Amino acid sequence: QVGHRDEMPWLPAVEARYSEILAELLAARGRGQGSSFQPYRDPMSKGSEDRVAADGIGVEAVDRGAWNVLYLLLNHRRFEENCSQFPATLRAIEEAFPRQYSHAFFSALTPGSHILKHCGPSNRMLRAWLPLCGLDGFRLRVGDTIVEPKAGQAFVWDHSFEHEAWHEGTETRVVLIVDIWHPDLSEPEVKFLRTLQNCRLRAGRVLAEHCESRDPQDATYFDIIERARHLLTDDDWWVLNAERDPT
């Protein structure tokens, strides 16, 4: 569920990048033009009809508060506009994380939020967290394990287990999330799974191009990401302690 540090000898190298990643994050907020975060939304699925977002874009993953994300890499897609703001973070992802899965994003949770319990799609990858700021009052449940992360202390957990999160602090909690291939997979197995994944993504793009009039409930994850990109026009939702606020 949650990995042991002695099985992850690369974690100190990730933690060594904490200060520069946090500095980039706060600089993005301080520009005053919106930091490129967007609401996290899921595609509609059976049983999620009662959680459709008020703006009609996807399904909410929280029942209170707000969960916003800033995508850098997702399913081998690089979000160039976002990546240009975070060169040091991108270098850290490429250099410090082993066999990264091409999923990397900042996750921000506002005070009072609750992420509903859910499971990731597969255990072929593990989820690495580098907690950055606003961790007081936050806790994560993974299976039967409760984690109370500390800023700058990275850890790894299996996203396929049921998990949920609560944030009862006073500052917006932000973590850097980077998925990595499961260490039990061999290089040939990773190559095979990566090829299957790329084929599935290409097929999905072709289908999307030929089905422009699809029902909203058939929207793909990338459809929802594109539609949600400009829902946040400022960073007023992002609560920082006064001594850390660059604005």
Side-chain angles (χ1 to χ4, degrees):
Q1 299 179 2
V2 178
H4 297 287
R5 281 191 68 90
D6 56 4
E7 298 174 354
M8 313 285 175
W10 47 271
L11 286 177
V14 171
E15 292 166 345
R17 307 295 188 102
Y18 164 73
S19 295
E20 60 182 341
I21 293 172
L22 177 61
E24 279 193 333
L25 177 72
L26 297 180
R29 182 185 186 276
R31 293 189 186 104
Q33 299 175 336
S35 56
S36 301
F37 274 88
Q38 62 185 76
Y40 178 88
R41 300 287 172 76
D42 281 318
M44 188 180 295
S45 59
K46 186 176 181 180
S48 67
E49 295 85 359
D50 60 337
R51 293 189 286 112
V52 174
D55 53 31
I57 301 177
V59 172
E60 296 279 9
V62 294
D63 58 3
R64 60 180 183 268
W67 181 12
N68 298 324
V69 292
L70 191 157
Y71 293 107
L72 300 171
L73 307 168
L74 191 65
N75 278 337
H76 303 282
R77 173 180 170 180
R78 184 180 174 101
F79 290 74
E80 295 293 351
E81 184 176 346
N82 293 348
C83 288
S84 67
Q85 299 183 64
F86 298 95
T89 302
L90 265 293
R91 284 195 300 273
I93 292 169
E94 294 164 358
E95 297 170 3
F97 291 85
R99 301 202 307 177
Q100 59 98 358
Y101 189 80
S102 193
H103 281 189
F105 57 98
F106 291 102
S107 168
L109 199 62
T110 61
S113 295
H114 172 230
I115 297 177
L116 295 161
K117 62 183 180 182
H118 62 288
C119 299
S122 169
N123 70 345
R124 62 179 176 265
M125 74 278 202
L126 298 179
R127 179 144 286 185
W129 271 28
L130 178 61
L132 295 170
C133 59
L135 279 302
D136 289 346
F138 173 77
R139 67 188 190 278
L140 167 71
R141 178 182 68 82
V142 184
D144 297 327
T145 302
I146 299 293
V147 183
E148 295 183 357
K150 305 298 181 186
Q153 297 180 15
F155 65 100
V156 177
W157 54 286
D158 189 333
H159 186 237
S160 67
F161 283 86
E162 182 183 89
H163 54 281
E164 63 182 316
W166 302 261
H167 187 29
E168 297 166 355
T170 59
E171 184 180 8
T172 298
R173 181 236 64 182
V174 187
V175 301
L176 173 65
I177 296 176
V178 180
D179 289 343
I180 61 173
W181 287 98
H182 198 291
D184 290 345
L185 292 172
S186 67
E187 287 299 331
E189 289 170 332
V190 168
K191 183 178 180 180
F192 174 72
L193 290 170
R194 186 178 283 130
T195 300
L196 285 182
Q197 183 182 33
N198 288 340
C199 290
R200 178 177 59 83
L201 291 171
R202 284 197 295 269
R205 283 194 291 268
V206 170
L207 180 63
E209 291 170 359
H210 289 82
C211 301
E212 295 181 358
S213 60
R214 286 174 298 165
D215 190 284
Q217 69 180 13
D218 295 327
T220 69
Y221 196 47
F222 279 118
D223 291 335
I224 292 170
I225 288 173
E226 286 303 314
R227 293 173 61 199
R229 281 184 67 184
H230 303 295
L231 290 179
L232 299 178
T233 57
D234 55 48
D235 287 332
D236 290 349
W237 56 270
W238 189 342
V239 181
L240 276 178
N241 289 338
E243 66 270 18
R244 196 177 354 236
D245 193 341
T247 59

